[in-house]
Amino acid sequence: MAGSRLSLALVGCGKIARAHWRGIRYVADRIDVTAVVDTNAAHAAQFAERTGAQAFTSLEDALAHGHFDAVDIMLPHDLHEWAATVCFAAGKHVCLEKPLAADIASAERILELAAAAETCFMVAEQAQYWPDVHKAKELMDAGAIGEITTARGCFYDTEEVDPGAPPPWRFSVARSGGGISMDGGAHWIRPLRILLGEIEEVVAVTAQPIARMEGESMAHAIFRFKSGVTATFDALLTGGARAPSEDFRVTGTAGELVIENGREGRLKLYDEENPNGIVIMDSFPGKLDSYGIELQEFADLVLDGKQLAASPECSLGELRTAFAIYRSAESGGWEKVWED
């Protein structure tokens, strides 16, 4: 697509749209938001005022009467296939917030549609752009901690929902496809894959400490990677107070790398010269900017044909890992990630 700027419609004006809009304002400076879409008219109007874009209460109306070349789809997971289908049919470039879909079959149909479309497609996984993760991978590849023996990823989140309010759509398995493993947990599975390669099989247990959440709000898993290395994966949604926890730990024969401090990101190296640890980086501009970085990459894909850091097919890895967790919780045994 020739041109220096990308006109974009934000489809879905919920919480994640605020993060995407911040990324566009401060990082993705080649994007102009010209339309916002939400079935809640008040939400659409609020976002229209915030962005200066035209508001629509249906995607069909926006596609018929709006002026934009691409869409940023941020809808409940069960609507991803429908939204992607109508946008591809309308000749729009599509950025789709992870996960691909609420189930694997739907995800694979979306990938087939994208391959046949004459427009660009990207799955937005902001963890792909976390700078501390890539710096850790660089150090690992340079031998900073020796041969890798094991790792850990720990995703804890707090329920920020009024207990007297109706459950959010994410609490419905029919809408979300699962629980914390395939939703927020995906942001921790992607970095583990960046650091350690592809996951081959999983053994896991799950539980529901958030009683009104239909999917799991707690998961403990062991991932065995194709390299033979194993890592633990912990995911928890809690309604109570929680102590600080590291996000990732990678252990080698000569030391450890630890990523902590949540969205700010801090990478520390422990080795023979630094037994008490040394700060390698405090992620600047920080993980929050990863939303803008991914959208800038989408703009570069559409406008310049620049290759993505991770293909849309890569996002199947998080989805398939989550469903392997679910199968293992039922079977009590190891489950292959790439075999249903």
Side-chain angles (χ1 to χ4, degrees), residues 33-181:
V33 175
T34 58
V36 295
V37 185
D38 201 289
T39 55
N40 184 310
H43 289 174
Q46 289 167 4
F47 244 85
E49 182 177 358
R50 181 178 297 183
T51 62
Q54 186 177 5
F56 297 92
T57 55
S58 79
L59 180 54
E60 295 92 339
D61 192 28
L63 291 170
H65 303 291
H67 302 283
F68 50 90
D69 297 312
V71 294
D72 183 7
I73 298 173
M74 298 167 285
L75 298 175
H77 308 162
D78 63 318
L79 297 178
H80 284 192
E81 183 178 1
W82 162 77
T85 299
V86 297
C87 289
F88 282 132
K92 305 300 182 183
H93 305 284
V94 175
C95 179
L96 177 63
E97 179 65 25
K98 68 85 201 159
L100 261 169
D103 61 74
I104 293 169
S106 179
E108 291 179 337
R109 288 194 296 269
I110 292 172
L111 290 173
E112 290 175 0
L113 283 170
E118 296 182 357
T119 51
C120 298
F121 180 53
M122 175 182 180
V123 178
E125 172 46 82
Q126 44 107 349
Q128 178 66 41
Y129 306 94
W130 287 351
D132 44 9
V133 171
H134 288 282
K135 184 62 177 180
K137 176 61 173 171
E138 178 185 321
L139 291 168
M140 291 164 60
D141 290 345
I145 59 173
E147 184 179 349
I148 307 305
T149 56
T150 190
R152 180 186 187 224
C154 181
F155 170 68
Y156 286 178
D157 203 1
T158 302
E159 182 186 18
E160 298 179 351
V161 179
D162 180 353
W169 67 261
R170 279 185 161 83
F171 282 19
S172 164
V173 169
R175 304 229 67 187
S176 67
I180 192 171
S181 300

